[in-house]
Amino acid sequence: MAQIQVALVTGAGSGIGRATALALAKAGWSIVLAGRRRDALEETARLAGEGSATLVHACDVSDASAVEALFQDIESRFKRLDLLFNNAGIFSAGGTIDEIPVETWNAVVGVNLTGAFLCARSAFALMRRQNPQGGRIINNGSISAHAPRPGSVPYTATKHAITGLTKSLSLDGRPFNIACGQIDIGNAASEMTDQMGKGILQANGTLAPEPLMDVAHVADAVVHMASLPLEANVQFMTVMATRMPFIGRG
């Protein structure tokens, strides 16, 4: 009998997280849906269908005790975890560094970086001790991990840090059969990117609408990364709207 494959998706209540959770469920994975809004997570679970094995757990990933409770719930229900999609993230209002309140910086770092660290930490521990040992962590970076938008210090700093987290996890995970990769996404259509299609500040100071792509393409890419045997890994993948201003940005 084939072993069930269990995936945790953070930020699963909308956008990339919801699309990826649904794609993984369609591919036969058992899904743990985590995020701050229980009603949105329950809607994702409903969309996944009654035939899908899902666990809904409302959780603020920036809260260490909440993340610990999430992973206790996962281990109690499924006994193991095969995939963490570290997806939860937030933007902040644009501005130069002197215009950004410290509270805003702390909020973005708390979710985008500390949250990714806490989830990866607990996932790594579970993957290390489970039998059979191992698993995969996929971090949601961003093309901002390579090239920033104007006025995006908190978001850009966290996404550059995610790349360091990915590389360190890849190295530290080798003895335990834990693979880690990163998907860098550009302009997937969601609530978070709605403004980009209407007009967003460019590096030359102008406002311009940018092309968007269907979030389903991101979900398909994550499913591909997740479907590889642990002997193979997509270390970094960039999925973006073809005509968006990334190559040559600035």
Side-chain angles (χ1 to χ4, degrees), residues 149-168:
R149 291 184 178 279
S152 65
V153 164
Y155 185 79
T156 296
T158 60
K159 292 306 182 178
H160 275 67
I162 287 295
T163 299
L165 178 66
T166 297
K167 291 178 178 179
S168 289

Side-chain angles (χ1 to χ4, degrees), residues 168-240:
S168 289
L169 288 173
S170 296
L171 181 59
D172 293 348
R174 288 177 188 171
F176 312 109
N177 207 26
I178 298 172
C180 184
Q182 179 171 317
I183 184 164
D184 295 324
I185 301 160
N187 288 16
S190 69
E191 294 175 9
M192 288 180 70
T193 59
D194 183 59
Q195 186 58 45
M196 295 176 187
K198 298 176 180 177
I200 194 165
L201 184 63
Q202 303 296 304
N204 64 0
T206 63
L207 287 174
E210 294 187 5
L212 303 175
M213 65 173 175
D214 195 310
V215 71
H217 302 312
V218 178
D220 289 344
V222 175
V223 171
H224 167 68
M225 295 171 75
S227 68
L228 293 173
L230 290 177
E231 292 75 24
N233 188 42
V234 176
Q235 188 67 68
F236 293 99
M237 177 189 287
T238 301
V239 181
M240 53 178 270

Side-chain angles (χ1 to χ4, degrees), residues 21-203:
L22 296 178
L24 286 165
K26 185 177 180 180
W29 290 71
S30 297
I31 308 298
V32 182
L33 306 172
R36 295 188 181 188
R37 299 176 297 157
R38 175 170 287 278
D39 58 340
L41 298 174
E42 289 175 345
E43 175 64 12
T44 301
R46 186 191 68 79
L47 292 170
E50 294 182 1
S52 301
T54 58
L55 171 64
V56 170
H57 189 112
C59 175
D60 176 356
V61 297
S62 68
D63 182 332
S65 60
V67 171
E68 184 176 341
L70 166 64
F71 277 84
Q72 288 174 349
D73 203 8
I74 293 169
E75 190 164 12
S76 175
R77 169 73 179 273
F78 295 108
K79 312 303 180 188
R80 66 178 294 108
L81 182 68
D82 299 284
L83 172 68
L84 163 63
F85 181 35
N86 237 340
N87 168 70
I90 59 172
F91 288 139
S92 63
T96 55
I97 191 167
D98 57 310
E99 299 170 333
I100 297 168
V102 173
E103 293 78 11
T104 297
W105 167 266
N106 288 337
V108 175
V109 171
V111 175
N112 293 7
L113 182 55
T114 302
F117 163 80
L118 291 172
C119 289
R121 179 176 182 268
S122 290
F124 195 103
L126 178 53
M127 291 171 179
R128 180 176 179 175
R129 68 175 178 267
Q130 66 195 11
N131 185 26
Q133 188 182 64
R136 189 182 307 275
I137 297 170
I138 300 175
N139 292 323
N140 184 344
S142 168
I143 61 172
S144 291
H146 306 275
R149 291 184 178 279
S152 65
V153 164
Y155 185 79
T156 296
T158 60
K159 292 306 182 178
H160 275 67
I162 287 295
T163 299
L165 178 66
T166 297
K167 291 178 178 179
S168 289
L169 288 173
S170 296
L171 181 59
D172 293 348
R174 288 177 188 171
F176 312 109
N177 207 26
I178 298 172
C180 184
Q182 179 171 317
I183 184 164
D184 295 324
I185 301 160
N187 288 16
S190 69
E191 294 175 9
M192 288 180 70
T193 59
D194 183 59
Q195 186 58 45
M196 295 176 187
K198 298 176 180 177
I200 194 165
L201 184 63
Q202 303 296 304

